[in-house]
Amino acid sequence: MKKWIALLVVLLAVMICFNMEAIAQCPMCKLSAESNLRDGGSAGKGLNKGILYMFAMPYVIVGSLAFLWIKNKKSYDTE
């Protein structure tokens, strides 16, 4: 159990460290996409799909982990 808690703490620390870089890049991506669309390019059209993909992935990961945890917990309860 202590290993899982240590792993969780390390993962949270890594997420917090990389979060600052992600926040810093958002205005640059927005300006790049807007200028690309203004100049007739098509690179900015997929930006919303990319944002939705990045937004959904943490929920998919947490949902999968919760499903596996509940499934394994039920198998231990029946033994």
Side-chain angles (χ1 to χ4, degrees):
M1 185 66 170
K2 289 181 183 181
K3 289 181 183 180
W4 287 106
I5 293 172
L7 180 64
L8 181 64
V9 169
V10 169
L11 286 175
L12 287 173
V14 168
M15 282 193 238
I16 289 171
C17 290
F18 286 114
N19 190 20
M20 297 303 165
E21 287 185 29
I23 290 172
Q25 298 301 322
C26 290
M28 291 173 29
C29 292
K30 180 181 174 189
L31 290 175
S32 176
E34 286 176 354
S35 67
N36 186 305
L37 289 174
R38 210 172 342 151
D39 295 337
S42 62
K45 290 182 181 178
L47 186 62
N48 285 337
K49 289 182 183 178
I51 290 170
L52 290 175
Y53 175 75
M54 289 189 305
F55 180 72
M57 289 312 296
Y59 292 103
V60 170
I61 292 169
V62 170
S64 300
L65 291 174
F67 172 75
L68 291 172
W69 180 58
I70 290 170
K71 183 179 173 185
N72 286 334
K73 185 178 178 193
K74 286 183 181 179
S75 69
Y76 286 126
D77 290 341
T78 59
E79 290 179 1

